Amino acid sequence: MRTVLVTGSGGAGRTTVATATALAAAANGRRTLLITADAPSPLPGPPGSAEPAGIADGLDHVRVDSGEHFRAELTGLQDRASGLLDLLGARRLDGEELTELPGSPQLALLHTLRRAAEGDWPGPAYDVLVVDLPPLGEALALLALPEQLRRYLRRLLPAERQAARALRPVLAQLAGVPMPARWLYEAAARKDAELAAVQALLSDRATTLRLVAEPGPAAEDALRAARTGLALHGLRADLLVASRVLPRHSSDPWFAALAARQEKCLDHWNQEWAPATPVHEAAHLGHDPRDLADLPALGVPAPDERTPGRAEDPWWTEEEPAADGGPAVLTWCLPLPGAAKRDLRLVRRGDELLLTVGPFHRIVRIASALRRCTVSGAALADGVLRVRFTPDPALWPRTS
């Protein structure tokens, strides 16, 4: 399945571009599913539902309802822990009195992505999945969330600590309720499987991003920072959509000045992003899109199903032979375009590398060969971070 994640600066028309992308894919004969958190104004009919509903030939739409998802998750948790809650004399919460908490929209979107990844809807499988993500900063944090949550689960509830399994049935019978550790580990395993499905979807080679921004200084700064965040997480943008582009060469001086500023910004974007990431200019319609018939005028191309997305891992390793014939010095390299040395922080903790670049943060597991080494230095040059690893003699003895 080809997956396109659409994000960009706030108010730039992300939902419109996501809908236009999905419509173009469906027009090419591919069965397409569009996922949005809001009800896009160009879409006809009701605001949408948690189940796919057809809005055009070959195009279905699902709206993420974070409130309903939060209530369903919490009531389900109460049902699974009913024995323990009854033992404690706890009063259950009714669905009508539940108000969603901060963070529930992100978890609801991940839940919907999991359903899409596993084909959890009736009918033939979808060929294209288009996802309307939150604004750029929130979207990058959301895309990193499955990996982070799975790490937290492994640290807080490691599978190897599920000791004395044979005693649990006996203890459960004596207590008259399921043992808390049992259902807690079962819940963690279930959530880990769901997060793994989303992580696999996001890291698939057929998954790419489309960035949407209205040409201007603010968007230019946001996109420059986004390049670093995308590289850090191994994500790739297949298209940069410049929205609401004004006609050039107007006879009106005020209008012509606005168009000239946009043109200057577009020149910068073509220099920084193209040809690896083409820049598509979506013309200003003169009004907000009123229905699906307005969207083809934007000229947003359908996603190329042959376009490779993320590689297996953004890191690569270089070797530097040792002068004394010992083990080679290994350098772990990661492209970080747009990163500045003052914003870079690097810490090794056990078998993990804690990497912070400006507002972006990622914890990566060190490659097996490098775990027997010590970090002997790091440098950022020409947009590439290089971390030097020197073999530890105690862990990597000489062979001669």
Side-chain angles (χ1 to χ4, degrees):
M1 180 173 63
R2 181 75 166 87
T3 303
V4 182
L5 311 171
V6 182
T7 182
S9 52
R14 301 183 318 277
T15 303
T16 297
V17 171
T19 308
T21 299
L23 190 63
N28 282 356
R30 289 182 280 174
R31 190 165 185 260
T32 304
L33 176 64
L34 170 66
I35 297 177
T36 69
D38 300 314
S41 56
L43 297 185
S49 66
E51 299 298 320
I55 58 174
D57 290 340
L59 176 58
D60 290 347
H61 170 232
V62 164
R63 181 186 178 191
V64 179
D65 188 339
S66 59
E68 180 60 31
H69 175 261
F70 176 80
R71 288 186 288 272
E73 286 288 295
L74 193 53
T75 53
L77 179 62
Q78 290 182 135
D79 292 339
R80 289 190 293 272
S82 58
L84 179 61
L85 293 176
D86 292 341
L87 179 67
L88 298 175
R91 294 179 58 189
R92 298 192 189 187
L93 296 168
D94 296 328
E96 293 77 10
E97 62 180 308
L98 295 177
T99 302
E100 60 178 308
L101 299 176
S104 60
Q106 291 84 347
L107 296 177
L109 181 53
L110 291 181
H111 171 77
T112 307
L113 286 177
R114 192 272 304 168
R115 297 190 67 185
E118 297 180 350
D120 195 22
W121 284 299
Y126 289 101
D127 304 308
V128 180
L129 172 65
V130 181
V131 185
D132 176 29
L133 293 177
L136 198 49
E138 298 175 35
L140 290 176
L142 173 69
L143 296 176
L145 195 55
E147 182 181 60
Q148 292 173 348
L149 291 179
R150 295 189 71 199
R151 178 178 178 273
Y152 295 158
L153 288 174
R154 289 193 297 268
R155 290 289 295 272
L156 297 174
L157 296 170
E160 60 270 16
R161 292 188 182 178
Q162 299 185 51
R165 293 184 179 181
L167 294 177
R168 285 194 187 133
V170 177
L171 294 175
Q173 289 180 0
L174 292 175
V177 296
M179 295 304 294
R182 179 181 178 182
W183 67 260
L184 185 60
Y185 276 100
E186 289 175 351
R190 184 168 53 252
K191 287 301 177 184
D192 183 74
E194 293 177 1
L195 291 168
V198 178
Q199 189 176 357
L201 175 70
L202 298 179
S203 61
D204 192 277
R205 291 183 62 85
T207 298
T208 54
L209 278 88
R210 286 197 169 180
L211 301 174
V212 185
E214 187 172 350
E220 198 164 7
D221 294 339
L223 289 176
R224 190 174 294 112
R227 292 186 68 198
T228 305
L230 294 176
L232 179 62
H233 293 288
L235 298 165
R236 177 179 175 272
D238 72 336
L239 189 69
L240 169 56
V241 179
S243 62
R244 303 189 185 101
V245 176
L246 301 172
R248 294 175 172 83
H249 312 300
S250 171
S251 57
D252 185 298
W254 181 83
F255 195 84
L258 292 178
R261 284 198 292 269
Q262 281 195 344
E263 187 172 10
K264 182 179 179 181
C265 183
L266 289 169
D267 289 341
H268 290 167
W269 288 357
N270 278 290
Q271 293 172 13
E272 291 183 1
W273 292 84
T277 302
V279 178
H280 172 76
E281 298 182 17
H284 200 303
L285 299 178
H287 56 80
D288 291 334
R290 292 180 289 260
D291 51 39
L292 295 180
D294 284 342
L295 299 184
L298 300 177
V300 177
D304 185 349
E305 56 186 335
R306 299 171 299 174
T307 301
R310 170 179 175 164
E312 293 299 325
D313 198 311
W315 297 84
W316 75 87
T317 305
E318 298 176 350
E319 293 188 14
E320 179 183 334
D324 57 359
V329 175
L330 303 175
T331 303
W332 214 14
C333 305
L334 174 68
L336 290 176
K341 293 181 180 179
R342 64 180 181 275
D343 298 329
L344 184 63
R345 185 170 179 267
L346 190 66
V347 177
R348 178 178 180 176
R349 183 174 297 165
D351 292 341
E352 295 178 326
L353 201 63
L354 285 64
L355 180 58
T356 299
V357 187
F360 308 109
H361 182 71
R362 189 182 183 193
I363 301 176
V364 294
R365 189 167 177 82
I366 299 174
S368 57
L370 302 180
R371 295 174 202 163
R372 297 179 288 167
C373 304
T374 57
V375 176
S376 55
L380 179 66
D382 300 324
V384 177
L385 172 66
R386 288 179 168 83
V387 185
R388 287 170 55 87
F389 288 82
T390 302
D392 186 342
L395 301 176
W396 201 329
R398 294 175 180 270
T399 57
S400 56

